[in-house]
Amino acid sequence: MSKINLLTGKRILLGVTGSIACYKAVDLASKLTQAGAEVDVILTEGAQRFVMPLTFRSVTGRPSYTDMWSLDDHVRHVGLGETADLFVIAPATAHTMAKLATGLADNLLTVTALAARCPILIAPAMDGGMYGHPATQANVATLRERGVQFAGPAVGRMASGLAGLGRMVEPAELLGFIRQAVAQGGPLAGRKVVVSTGPTREPLDPVRFISNRSTGKQGLAVAQAALDAGADVTVVHGPISEPIPFGATAVPVQTTEQMGEAVLSAAKDADVLFMVAAVADFRPNTQSDKKIKKTDEQWGLAIGLEVTLDILTAVKTERDKSGYPRIVLGFAAETHNAFEYGRDKLLRKGLNFIAVNDVTDQGAGFAVDTNKVLLLSSAGVVEEMPMQSKTAVAERLVHHVANSLNGSAH
């Protein structure tokens, strides 16, 4: 059973140069290892003045390399450079970037960079006005022309106490850059994907609203899985507490009507729409512009409701005219007769797939990290997914959609 498990088994070569930001490289190596990557580290002489090779070995469980002349294998740089899936240099000092731009190869890191056959990602780190200096900018331009990718630098306070452009990006953000670099050429590369997620809120007055228990966790997992498959991802989201995956375009909304407008706009030329959001089906037919008081007899205890926009029906109408989005996967959160309701929704709304989950199953409802999903198409059951992480569910959904879009059998 194929899965899009992006970093598991990937060989990441991490080059570390002499900057105080070396401590961030240790955190990055740990995060990569926890994500399943095999991380080999090369430290320059300057880097070893800030952090010991043993520190990296402790978090990666793999050797750290320093001096190419003391290695038993005198062509170690060739082996490291040709077997890596990605070469990340973080932190990268102005000095090392100058060497890379001019092709100098006087240490294990720079000679390995020349031998590398994989993409190279650089995270600059330097103080003062060094990054903006014409010499550094010329080196950056040269490296970019050769296909080297850059993560940052960021603006912030530096070791000297100055503030400006030159800080190494934080490890969590750099991990996002790495995922993007590794995802290039994935099954959804060059595809535009729209994901809706989270709840919508229908206001009753300035302080109250009608909503539901959705947290957006499953939709965010789908967005990350689509990014990991190489897609260009737009996330239309209601109020959620977790961050949008790095690399996705975020479109925040509040009401069902706003979400409908945003989804229709984003999906008009999309290859795939994952409609994961738990939109409010009803809204108050009257809104107060002031907070309703308990003593307000005009409102009493009765709240009149009206039906909100049916987003998937609106998508079907536009899709029948334009052919976009090419693939639509909907969700059906049910409490009973899940299969019957899900199949009916699939057919009525012209979906390619529908992911049905019974939210009464323990561990498969809202605000949890697991889910249990039945994936249906017009041909019947595509896959019955047992209880597992929402990340794993998302990977399976993206796998099936990618196969369908690319013309493969399920």
Side-chain angles (χ1 to χ4, degrees):
M1 184 179 290
S2 174
K3 286 183 66 178
I4 303 167
N5 207 353
L6 188 66
L7 292 177
T8 297
K10 295 294 184 183
R11 299 200 63 179
I12 307 296
L13 186 57
L14 176 59
V16 183
T17 71
S19 163
I20 186 60
C22 282
Y23 75 93
K24 294 183 180 180
V26 177
D27 188 16
L28 176 65
S30 177
K31 283 179 165 59
L32 285 167
T33 302
Q34 292 176 49
E38 298 177 4
V39 184
D40 293 314
V41 181
I42 299 175
L43 293 93
T44 65
E45 183 179 350
Q48 295 173 66
R49 298 188 180 189
F50 290 97
V51 63
M52 295 178 61
L54 179 60
T55 303
F56 286 98
R57 294 190 64 172
S58 298
V59 299
T60 66
R62 297 176 63 83
S64 297
Y65 303 97
T66 56
D67 184 357
M68 64 180 174
W69 307 117
S70 64
L71 295 169
D72 294 334
D73 180 2
H74 71 285
V75 290
R76 173 66 69 181
H77 61 285
V78 176
L80 289 171
E82 292 196 344
T83 59
D85 293 296
L86 180 68
F87 189 5
V88 181
I89 304 175
T93 61
H95 184 56
T96 293
M97 287 167 54
K99 289 183 181 182
L100 295 173
T102 54
L104 290 177
D106 62 348
N107 60 27
L108 183 58
L109 189 152
T110 53
V111 76
T112 302
L114 286 182
R117 297 295 177 263
C118 62
I120 296 177
L121 174 66
I122 289 178
M126 56 201 72
D127 211 328
M130 295 172 65
Y131 185 75
H133 192 282
T136 304
Q137 286 302 298
N139 292 332
V140 170
T142 296
L143 292 170
R144 286 189 188 276
E145 288 173 3
R146 295 176 187 162
V148 174
Q149 302 171 55
F150 281 79
V155 174
R157 186 181 183 278
M158 303 171 188
S160 65
L162 299 174
L165 182 63
R167 280 177 60 91
M168 177 178 156
V169 296
E170 297 303 315
E173 184 178 357
L174 185 49
L175 187 62
F177 278 102
I178 291 170
R179 294 183 80 108
Q180 279 190 319
V182 173
Q184 293 175 8
L188 289 178
R191 304 289 194 174
K192 180 177 180 181
V193 172
V194 178
V195 180
S196 73
T197 192
T200 58
R201 292 177 175 176
E202 304 299 332
L204 178 61
D205 63 20
V207 299
R208 301 181 181 91
F209 55 83
I210 295 175
S211 190
N212 56 62
R213 299 178 185 274
S214 173
T215 60
K217 287 178 179 286
Q218 185 64 79
L220 294 176
V222 169
Q224 183 65 72
L227 286 165
D228 289 350
D232 175 9
V233 178
T234 297
V235 180
V236 180
H237 65 92
I240 53 178
S241 58
E242 296 189 18
I244 300 299
F246 178 85
T249 299
V251 181
V253 298
Q254 289 284 327
T255 66
T256 299
E257 184 175 353
Q258 291 171 351
M259 179 167 284
E261 292 174 355
V263 166
L264 289 171
S265 176
K268 63 185 178 183
D269 57 351
D271 293 290
V272 183
L273 168 62
F274 290 93
M275 192 66 193
V276 193
V279 299
D281 294 322
F282 304 96
R283 66 184 180 189
N285 56 19
T286 303
Q287 291 183 35
S288 173
D289 58 0
K290 297 179 181 178
K291 180 181 177 181
I292 301 169
K293 301 295 184 180
K294 290 181 180 180
T295 56
D296 193 336
E297 296 181 0
Q298 176 185 351
W299 286 86
L301 298 178
I303 300 175
L305 299 177
E306 61 186 21
V307 177
T308 58
L309 171 70
D310 188 322
I311 299 176
L312 280 176
T313 297
V315 168
K316 181 179 184 300
T317 299
E318 294 302 315
R319 191 181 182 205
D320 288 342
K321 293 185 288 187
S322 68
Y324 288 93
R326 296 177 180 177
I327 302 289
V328 179
L329 184 150
F331 262 71
E334 303 293 349
T335 58
H336 61 287
N337 298 333
F339 176 86
E340 291 78 7
Y341 285 135
R343 180 168 174 76
D344 176 67
K345 184 176 180 179
L346 170 85
L347 298 176
R348 281 189 296 106
K349 302 190 178 183
L351 307 178
N352 299 89
F353 300 97
I354 192 162
V356 185
N357 66 315
D358 188 334
V359 295
T360 62
D361 283 351
Q362 186 174 1
F366 299 116
V368 294
D369 294 324
T370 54
N371 209 350
K372 179 181 178 182
V373 167
L374 179 65
L375 184 63
L376 305 176
S377 72
S378 58
V381 176
V382 176
E383 183 179 348
E384 188 171 353
M385 303 178 197
M387 191 74 71
Q388 57 191 310
S389 70
K390 288 182 175 177
T391 296
V393 169
E395 290 171 349
R396 295 303 302 157
L397 297 178
V398 168
H399 166 76
H400 286 296
V401 166
N403 279 352
S404 179
L405 191 61
N406 296 326
S408 302
H410 296 303

